[in-house]
Amino acid sequence: MATTNKNDYKASNIQVLEGLEAVRKRPAMYIGDTGQRGLHHLINEVVDNSIDEALAGHCDYITVVIKNDGSMEITDNGRGIPVDMHPKLGLPAVEVVLTKLHAGGKFDKDSYKVSGGLHGVGVSCVNALSTWFNAEIHRDGVIHKMGFEKGITHTSLVNQGKTDKTGTIITFLPDPTIFTQTTEFKFNIIADRMRELAFLNPEVTIELIDEREDDPELGKAIYHYEGGLKDFVSYLDESREGITPEPIHISGEVEGVPVDLAIQYNTSYSENVHSYVNNINTREGGTHVSGFRRALTRSLKSYAEKNNIIKSGSKVSISGEDFREGLTAVLSVKVAEPQFEGQTKTKLGNSEVQSAVEVMVYDQLNEYLEQNPKIAKKVIEKVVLAAEAREAARKARQLVQRKSVMSGGGLPGKLADCSIKDPEHSEIYLVEGDSAGGSAKMGRNRSFQAILPLRGKILNVEKAKINKILENREIQAMVTALGAGLGYSEEEFDLDKLRYHKIIIMTDADVDGSHIRTLLLTFFYRYMRLIVELGHVYIATPPLYRITAGKNIDYAWDDETRDKLIKELKKSKRKFDVSRYKGLGEMNPNQLWETTMDPETRTLQLVTIENAAGADKMFSTLMGDDVTPRREFIERNAKYANLDI
Ligand code: 0RA
C-alpha cells in the first residue's frame, strides 16, 4: 500500500471539480437509493475516509455517535482534512473536499487511497444531502471549523483556537426532503458495518454510541479485534463446531496486492466464503475468490495424493465444491484500481489479482498442511465425505426430476399457478397451512398470483445434508414451482428460469409463523441466495386486528392504530367489535385479498441483506445446534438483526 507522507499532500492535488447540484437532483445515482440503505450509506462515506487515514497509518480510533436530535457525529484521530488554500480555486482544501464532487486524493495516483464506499462518491455527497453539516478539524496545532447547509457553505473556515491533537469531527443531519422514507438511524445496521470494519482493519478501534438509548450499556459498543480476520472467522463460527482448533491465518503481499485470509473448517455443510476488496464486500466474488478456490483445491489435492490419503483408485470423484463444504473463510485484498463487474457491481474483475491470491494461498497453505498433518488428515477426510454426499445428492436430484416429470406438467400438485407466464409480472405466495392456502387461492387475482400452500414446518436446512434437503416434500414443491433449481453454482441454480419475480412469504403473525418464515429465509439464503440478493423475496404483512362497526370494517397492523380507531369509534358512540386475528385461516378470501394480497393496498416487506457476513452469523446462530449462543443472540437482537425486513 502506498503510504502518503505527512507533508506531501497539498490542496492542488485535488482534481476534477464539479458542484453538488447534481447530487441533490439525483441522489440515488450517488448513494444507491434514498431509503434506509442510502441513509446509512452516508455514515459509511464518512467513516471510509477515517479508515483511509488508518490504512495510511495515521489513525487508530474512530468514534461514531448517533445524537439525540437524530444527527450523526463521526470523530477520528487522523491527520485532519487539509485546510491549505487551493492555488487555482482560491478556496481552502477542506471546502473543496466538502463542496465539490469527486474532489479528493482518490483520483490522484500519488496519494491514492484504497478504501471507499461501494460508490466511492466521497464525503461531499453527504454534505449535499444534509440539512446541515459541520466539520471541525484539528491540524497544525489549530482547531478549524466550517459549516454548510444542503451542501452550501454557511460558515467559512474559521480558526477556533489551539489544539495539540489531529483529527476530524464531522457532524451532519440528513435532509428529510431527500430521505423521505426515513431519517432514523438504526443502531444494529451501523453496528454490523462497524464490527465488520474493525475485523477487516485490526489496527483501528471503533466506538459506537447511541445517545437516544436511555440505558448507556445498551447504547454503546466498542469494536477492536487484534486477531483481524482470524477473529472474524471465529465470530462467524461461534455456533458451529470447528474441525481445525483455530482458524488458519494467511497473509502477505504478492506483486503489490496485499492479501489477508482466514479459514476454518467446521462440521456444518454450508460454504461461507466472504470476500472483500478495499473493505467492500464483494458478494459476487470475482478474481480474488477464484484464486483462493484454485489454491485451496490444488493444495489439499496434492497433499492428499502425496500422503496417500485419497487412494488413486478411489471411486468418488472430488470436485472443487467438496473442498468448500463446511468451510468458513474471509478473504480481504487491497487493489489500487479495482474493476467491479457483475449484476450488482460486486464482482472483482482485475485478472492480476487471481494469480496473486493463488500463489500466496497455495504456498502458505501447503506449509501449514505439512506442519499440521493431523489437521490435514481430518480436513481431507471431511472433503471425501462431502464428495460422497454430493454423489448421493446427485441421485436424489435425478429422483426429484423424474418425479416431477411423472406428475405431469412438472409442477407440484398443490400449486395453484397463475395464468400469465411472464415471470417479471408473476408472483407466488408461499402460504403457511392448507386452510390459509385455500383462502388465498380463492381470494387471489389468478392472472398473476400463484399460491403454494406449505404444510407444517419445513426442514431446517442449517442442520441437514443436501440429500436430505432434496428429499423433503415441501422443499421439492418450492424448487419445482420456482423453476430455477437449487444450489450454489450457476449450473445448479439458473436465475433465468425463475418463474416468479416476487416470492412472497405469508405466515401467521405468531411464534410458529415467524419460525416458519425464518426456516424459509434460511433455505432461500443458503440454497437460492441470488433471489434474496436481487430482491425477489418479500414478506406479506397480514393485519393483527379487525375492527367492525356495523358494515364498516377497519384493519390495524399494530396496537397503536387499533387504539386510535377504538378511540374514534368511542367518540362517535357507535357500537363496534375488535377481534384479533390469530391466524391467516381466520380471514375469509375477500379479507385476505383486501388486506394482504391486493397490490393496491397491501404492504410487502422486501427482504434485503445489508451485510452478508452478518446474515450468515444470524442464520447459523438461529438455526444451529448450539443453544447458548442462540439464546444470547435472540436476547440481543429480539428480531432480525441483519435482514432488513
Ligand atoms: C483529503 C485528503 C486527505 C485527507 C482527507 C481528505 C480526510 C478526510 C476525512 C473525512 C473524515 N476524516 C477525514 N480525514 C482525512 C489527506 C490528508 C493529508 O495528506 O494530510
Side-chain angles (χ1 to χ4, degrees), residues 103-123:
K106 194 177 289 184
F107 295 86
D108 179 353
K109 282 265 179 70
D110 296 334
S111 53
Y112 97 123
K113 53 204 238 167
V114 289
S115 181
L118 188 53
H119 302 82
V121 287
V123 72

Side-chain angles (χ1 to χ4, degrees), residues 6 9 46 49-50 53 76 79-82 97 139 168 170:
K6 208 172 175 69
Y9 185 91
V46 180
N49 282 276
S50 308
E53 286 293 287
D76 67 54
R79 287 167 292 183
I81 308 177
V97 168
R139 200 176 158 109
T168 306
I170 302 281

Side-chain angles (χ1 to χ4, degrees), residues 299-307 309 369-370 373 376 380:
S299 166
L300 285 171
K301 232 180 187 154
S302 74
Y303 181 88
E305 279 164 12
K306 235 187 347 203
N307 294 281
I309 306 178
L369 295 172
E370 293 296 344
I380 287 159

Side-chain angles (χ1 to χ4, degrees), residues 393-536:
R394 197 178 57 81
K395 288 188 184 140
R397 260 203 192 96
Q398 281 174 341
L399 200 71
V400 175
Q401 253 163 16
R402 256 209 313 278
K403 264 195 201 155
S404 65
V405 172
M406 280 183 330
S407 64
L411 291 170
K414 289 194 296 177
L415 174 75
D417 206 4
C418 52
S419 52
I420 63 164
K421 294 293 166 223
D422 168 16
E424 208 183 313
H425 298 105
S426 307
E427 41 189 63
I428 184 168
Y429 275 81
L430 306 173
V431 188
E432 170 187 359
D434 284 337
S435 87
S439 295
K441 280 181 189 177
M442 289 199 280
R444 69 178 173 148
N445 179 330
R446 60 182 63 231
S447 77
F448 66 94
Q449 291 179 318
I451 309 292
L452 182 67
L454 299 171
R455 195 173 301 145
K457 297 235 157 122
I458 78 152
L459 186 75
N460 179 0
V461 299
E462 201 67 26
K463 290 194 211 162
K465 284 196 193 193
I466 178 80
N467 47 333
K468 283 277 170 271
I469 292 167
L470 283 160
E471 280 167 19
N472 181 269
R473 286 195 20 223
E474 309 304 312
I475 287 183
Q476 284 178 4
M478 282 192 284
V479 173
T480 16
L482 296 184
L486 94 165
Y488 294 100
S489 65
E490 275 165 44
E491 302 92 66
E492 288 170 339
F493 187 81
D494 184 356
L495 198 69
D496 291 337
K497 294 207 178 117
L498 188 65
R499 299 181 61 246
Y500 315 92
H501 279 195
K502 280 204 174 77
I503 297 148
I504 304 161
I505 300 173
M506 185 157 74
T507 58
D508 291 341
D510 59 10
V511 179
D512 272 356
S514 95
H515 189 209
I516 292 170
R517 183 170 62 196
T518 312
L519 287 165
L520 285 168
L521 289 172
T522 311
F523 168 61
F524 289 140
Y525 184 69
R526 292 288 182 220
Y527 289 94
M528 299 186 180
R529 188 166 302 178
L530 264 186
I531 64 168
V532 186
E533 298 216 322
L534 296 175
H536 293 303

